Amino acid sequence: MSWQTYVDDHLMCEIDGTGHYLTAAAILGIDGSVWAQSSTFPQFKPDEIAAVVKDFEEPGTLAPTGLHLGGAKYMVIQGEPGAVIRGKKGPGGICVKKTDQALVVGIYDEPVTPGQCNIIVERLGDYLIEQGL
């Protein structure tokens, strides 16, 4: 299965028959390379991804400055140190799950809830971890 299929079928899928979808999603290599992304995923800078990776290695580094992606700033909220970073921006937010080799990223806006986004992103991340990725 191609990486794009994971994004299209597992991240950008309809949520629980509600007719709602994530706003954008991507699977990025730890080095910041794009493995696959939705057409709506923001153009990001390499240093934005480097800052996210650093927070996985040293949890708490993003909290004072926020998580920046594609020029948008997300206030970092609860997560799982070294595994998941969650951010909020107005009525929407972001969830980033780290696997051994990749970052699974989901961005949402109302009416999608933080919990719905977290489940989608973290479920795929957990699956990739089980596959050794």
Side-chain angles (χ1 to χ4, degrees), residues 51-133:
V52 170
V53 171
K54 181 177 183 199
D55 194 81
F56 281 117
E57 294 165 356
E58 301 170 38
T61 57
L62 283 179
T65 59
L67 186 162
H68 295 263
L69 188 71
K73 178 181 177 181
Y74 298 88
M75 179 178 65
V76 176
I77 54 176
Q78 97 286 355
E80 297 167 33
V84 179
I85 298 170
R86 299 182 186 113
K88 193 92 174 106
K89 178 179 181 269
I94 189 167
C95 179
V96 184
K97 170 78 176 181
K98 182 184 177 295
T99 72
D100 295 337
Q101 301 174 25
L103 302 173
V104 180
V105 184
I107 299 172
Y108 66 93
D109 231 321
E110 285 185 332
V112 174
T113 66
Q116 288 171 320
C117 179
N118 298 345
I119 288 169
I120 290 168
V121 170
E122 293 173 37
R123 190 179 290 153
L124 180 58
D126 289 341
Y127 171 77
L128 295 178
I129 290 168
E130 288 170 14
Q131 302 306 306
L133 299 165

